[in-house]
C-alpha cells in the first residue's frame, strides 16, 4: 500500500506539473485506451499541449464535424474509436487511421488524402504528405498519456490494497485480543496451580 501510495503521489505530481497554468492542456481532458498512448502521442504530439480556451494565444477551436468526411484508406479504423476526447479534436481524430503494423502502414499510406494520417499502436506514423515516424519513437505526449493511464490503474490498486490492509488490521486486532485473553487465562491457571 505504501509503495502504491508513493507511486500515485509521484505520478499525480508529474502530471500536474505538466499543466499550462491558466490554460490547461487539452491532453488533460483526453482519455485513451491502454495500449494506444503511443499512437495518439505520435499522431498529435505537441498539439495536445494546446488548450481549448479561446482566450489562450494558441488554442484548439471547436468546429463541427465534416458532413461527409473522406474515408480512411483500406478500412483503417479511426483513432477516435480508441480515444475519449473533447469535441475540439473530433475532426482531427476522425482522419487518423489505426493500422496493425509497419507493413500495413507502408502499404496504405499511398492512399492517404490531404490531411489524413495513419498510426500504429507502437507509435509509427504515416502522413498524407510523406512525413513518416518510425515505430517506437518516444514522444512527450505518449509518455504523459501512459502516466495518466498508470495513475488510473494505481488508484484502483491503491483502493484494493487499502481494503486489504483494513481487513488484515481487523484480523490482527482480533488475534492480538485472543493472544491477550490466552495470556490472561494462562496466568490465572498458573496461579491456580
Amino acid at each position: 500500500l505504501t509503495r502504491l501510495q508513493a507511486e500515485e503521489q509521484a505520478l499525480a505530481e508529474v502530471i500536474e506539473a505538466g499543466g499550462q497554468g491558466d490554460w490547461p492542456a487539452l491532453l488533460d481532458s483526453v482519455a485513451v485506451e491502454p495500449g494506444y498512448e503511443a499512437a495518439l502521442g505520435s499522431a498529435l504530439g505537441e498539439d495536445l499541449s494546446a488548450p481549448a480556451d479561446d482566450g489562450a494565444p494558441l488554442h484548439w477551436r471547436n468546429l463541427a464535424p465534416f458532413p461527409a468526411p473522406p474515408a480512411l484508406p483500406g478500412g483503417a479504423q479511426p483513432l477516435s474509436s480508441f480515444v475519449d476526447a473533447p469535441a475540439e479534436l473530433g475532426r482531427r481524430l476522425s482522419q487518423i487511421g489505426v493500422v496493425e503494423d509497419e507493413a500495413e502502414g507502408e502499404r496504405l499510406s499511398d492512399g492517404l488524402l490531404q490531411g489524413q494520417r495513419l498510426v500504429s499502436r507502437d507509435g509509427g506514423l504515416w502522413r498524407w504528405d510523406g512525413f513518416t515516424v518510425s515505430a517506437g519513437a518516444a514522444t512527450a505526449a505518449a509518455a504523459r498519456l501512459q502516466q495518466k493511464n498508470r495513475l488510473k490503474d494505481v488508484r484502483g490498486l491503491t483502493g484494493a490494497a487499502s481494503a486489504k490492509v483494513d481487513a488484515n488490521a481487523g484480523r490482527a486486532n482480533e488475534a492480538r485480543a485472543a493472544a491477550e485473553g490466552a495470556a490472561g487465562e494462562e496466568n490465572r491457571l498458573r496461579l491456580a496451580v
Side-chain angles (χ1 to χ4, degrees):
L1 176 60
T2 302
R3 182 183 56 78
L4 287 169
Q5 288 172 331
E7 184 178 1
E8 178 182 3
Q9 181 179 352
L11 285 168
E13 287 174 4
V14 166
I15 290 170
E16 188 177 295
Q20 297 287 324
D22 293 340
W23 296 297
L26 201 58
L27 175 65
D28 295 338
S29 302
V30 172
V32 61
E33 286 185 25
Y36 289 88
E37 300 94 346
L40 182 61
S42 182
L44 294 174
E46 292 306 310
D47 292 350
L48 284 171
S49 64
D53 188 327
D54 290 342
L58 173 76
H59 63 274
W60 283 89
R61 288 181 35 218
N62 187 358
L63 301 175
F66 290 116
L72 293 164
Q77 195 167 8
L79 186 56
S80 58
S81 299
F82 308 100
V83 177
D84 182 20
E88 287 83 358
L89 292 177
R91 281 190 179 190
R92 181 85 169 262
L93 291 175
S94 74
Q95 293 302 295
I96 300 170
V98 178
V99 295
E100 286 298 314
D101 54 26
E102 186 174 347
E104 186 179 12
E106 290 290 332
R107 183 174 55 79
L108 296 178
S109 64
D110 288 341
L112 289 170
L113 300 176
Q114 186 173 355
Q116 292 182 329
R117 299 167 186 223
L118 295 172
V119 292
S120 61
R121 287 179 67 161
D122 56 4
L125 169 78
W126 299 267
R127 207 166 65 185
W128 65 276
D129 57 3
F131 182 75
T132 304
V133 175
S134 298
T139 66
R144 189 166 163 96
L145 289 163
Q146 288 169 339
Q147 289 167 342
K148 280 181 64 177
N149 280 345
R150 177 63 184 158
L151 179 59
K152 182 179 173 185
D153 291 344
V154 166
R155 285 184 171 152
L157 293 170
T158 300
S162 181
K164 268 187 179 178
V165 165
D166 291 345
N168 288 336
R171 284 196 290 270
N173 287 336
E174 290 170 6
R176 194 173 301 111
E180 288 171 1
E185 181 65 13
E186 180 186 16
N187 285 337
R188 187 187 66 74
L189 292 172
R190 282 182 196 268
L191 289 173
V193 168

